[in-house]
Amino acid sequence: MTAKRLGFFTRLLDKTSAQERYHLATLQIQHAERWGFDTAWVAQHHFHEHEGGLPSPLLFLASVAAQTSRIRLGTAIITLPMENALRVAEDAAVLDLLSHHRLELGLGSGGTPTSFLPFDLTFEQRADAFSANLDTLLQAWGNAPLAHEDNRLYPAAPQLADRLWQATFSVAGAARAGAAGHGLMLSRTQPRPAGQPELPLDAIQNPLIDAYLEALPSGVEPRILASRTAFVSRDGSEARRLALPGLTAQAEQHRAAGHVVPGDTLDDYIAVFDAHLGTPEQVVASLRKDSTLPRVTDISFQVHSIDPPHQHILTSIELLATEVAPALGWRPAVSAQNHKETV
């Protein structure tokens, strides 16, 4: 791993009420900032609380921006086909000002198929809707007139076009992101090709990086973010104990959806779902096997689908910042402060 920036990612899945989920996620992001993390990312999910607890990521990040000072705040992702593109452009422009230009905007076309229906879309229409809405975003941020010469985005936000990221599972999608000069977002939930359930994640994602870099215009710096599951504990057996319920539940969900999940032991699930867990030494050794990571500029660590209790997440954040990421080449841009502050 030679990533320049270290990130913390959450889908806001703590096992509690929605209000408490937002509170705990805010504490976790604050904790990541204190320990020197460069970025914090949140996901958007509509309707389905067990997939993700946040339908309004920009609203949530506005609150987090007021309670942090340095850490960059990103969406991973906004499901753009379901959105009013002009409202996203306006809300992102305001949030970027309120956060002192700390916003990173990750976009994607995916989502649970049934979630598209209340937005008068079908799952099959998502690619066209994404493309049209992305064009609208770029026009708005580029100060183009919007349906009438008098209508231009306020506040203006030309800077946001340089902080767009696209999430994709495909080589073609990676090439499109590269050709546009946007960042490339790689997910730890990358689907395996049919008949290859045990194919390593890096074997799938390295071709995406190749396509992205080949399509990137000359002179444009690459931005490649890899999201990975990592749960770090001082006690390796404790990490395994806490991992078993979450990874077992993920296996059951995948099988119920018709996917093949080879094996039925914890080690099988760790391999299938690309989870890196255990002591700092164990996690470092595991991450070093991922040939994608030396090629990325950013990495974001999440605890899903392990989803341990909040206090264990805080400990994992500390160990990632102090032992795991430094062993893999990361250095904080600023010195972490107030480590002993009570959370």
Side-chain angles (χ1 to χ4, degrees):
M1 171 183 152
T2 56
K4 299 174 182 176
R5 298 197 298 185
L6 175 66
F8 169 72
F9 172 77
T10 178
R11 285 163 52 204
L12 287 82
L13 286 171
D14 298 271
K15 297 174 177 62
T16 185
S17 68
Q19 183 175 22
E20 185 64 6
R21 279 182 171 183
Y22 301 155
H23 174 63
L24 294 178
T26 300
L27 293 179
Q28 290 159 15
I29 293 171
Q30 290 175 316
H31 200 63
E33 179 176 72
R34 281 193 290 272
W35 285 95
F37 276 65
D38 302 293
T39 57
W41 302 84
V42 296
Q44 178 184 49
H45 290 86
H46 293 285
F47 314 124
H48 305 281
E49 66 179 276
H50 300 300
E51 295 181 1
L54 185 62
S56 304
L58 296 178
L59 182 59
F60 173 75
L61 289 179
S63 174
V64 174
Q67 300 177 72
T68 55
S69 62
R70 179 194 57 79
I71 196 167
R72 301 193 65 77
L73 305 172
T75 59
I77 55 169
I78 288 175
T79 309
L80 192 60
M82 301 181 192
E83 298 296 317
N84 180 305
L86 286 177
R87 291 296 303 147
V88 173
E90 292 176 325
D91 289 349
V94 172
L95 173 54
D96 198 46
L97 290 180
L98 293 175
S99 66
H100 301 285
H101 300 296
R102 288 188 281 146
L103 181 61
E104 302 281 341
L105 203 66
L107 308 172
S109 63
T112 303
T114 57
S115 294
F116 288 84
L117 302 178
F119 295 96
D120 295 323
L121 286 171
T122 66
F123 190 65
E124 291 70 28
Q125 294 172 314
R126 69 192 186 283
D128 289 342
F130 177 87
S131 180
N133 282 350
L134 180 58
D135 286 345
T136 299
L137 276 182
L138 294 173
Q139 290 169 12
W141 290 332
N143 200 38
L146 303 169
H148 189 282
E149 187 62 33
D150 291 344
N151 299 330
R152 296 177 193 272
L153 190 73
Y154 181 85
Q159 72 281 358
L160 287 177
D162 296 326
R163 286 188 252 133
L164 274 182
W165 301 74
Q166 292 192 40
T168 183
F169 289 146
S170 72
V171 168
R176 283 193 296 270
H182 299 161
L184 172 67
M185 307 186 87
L186 303 174
S187 173
R188 60 105 195 177
T189 59
Q190 177 90 35
R192 272 33 178 193
Q196 296 179 283
E198 297 177 334
L199 191 67
L201 185 60
D202 56 355
I204 306 172
Q205 293 189 337
N206 274 318
L208 272 67
I209 295 176
D210 294 338
Y212 171 79
L213 293 174
E214 184 176 351
L216 202 66
S218 176
V220 176
E221 287 293 320
R223 291 178 292 127
I224 306 170
L225 182 147
S227 175
R228 294 293 185 263
T229 293
F231 174 53
V232 195
S233 171
R234 286 292 182 200
D235 184 338
S237 61
E238 175 185 68
R240 291 177 63 84
R241 176 179 60 80
L242 291 170
L244 182 59
L247 294 180
T248 300
Q250 186 178 9
E252 292 171 351
Q253 291 164 7
H254 271 60
R255 287 172 175 144
H259 302 296
V260 176
V261 180
D264 57 6
T265 69
L266 176 60
D267 288 318
D268 292 328
Y269 299 155
I270 288 170
V272 169
F273 299 122
D274 304 288
H276 306 273
L277 61 94
T279 65
E281 296 78 12
Q282 289 171 325
V283 173
V284 168
S286 180
L287 289 168
R288 281 183 171 149
K289 298 175 184 177
D290 188 336
S291 67
T292 302
L293 299 187
R295 307 183 68 191
V296 305
T297 61
D298 294 67
I299 187 166
S300 65
F301 287 119
Q302 56 182 295
V303 295
H304 316 303
S305 292
I306 295 170
D307 297 316
H310 172 68
Q311 198 60 44
H312 292 275
I313 295 174
L314 299 184
T315 298
S316 183
I317 287 170
E318 294 173 22
L319 293 174
L320 283 167
T322 58
E323 300 190 32
V324 173
L328 297 169
W330 173 80
R331 295 293 180 268
V334 297
S335 298
Q337 298 175 349
N338 302 324
H339 292 172
K340 295 183 180 179
E341 185 173 328
T342 301
V343 176

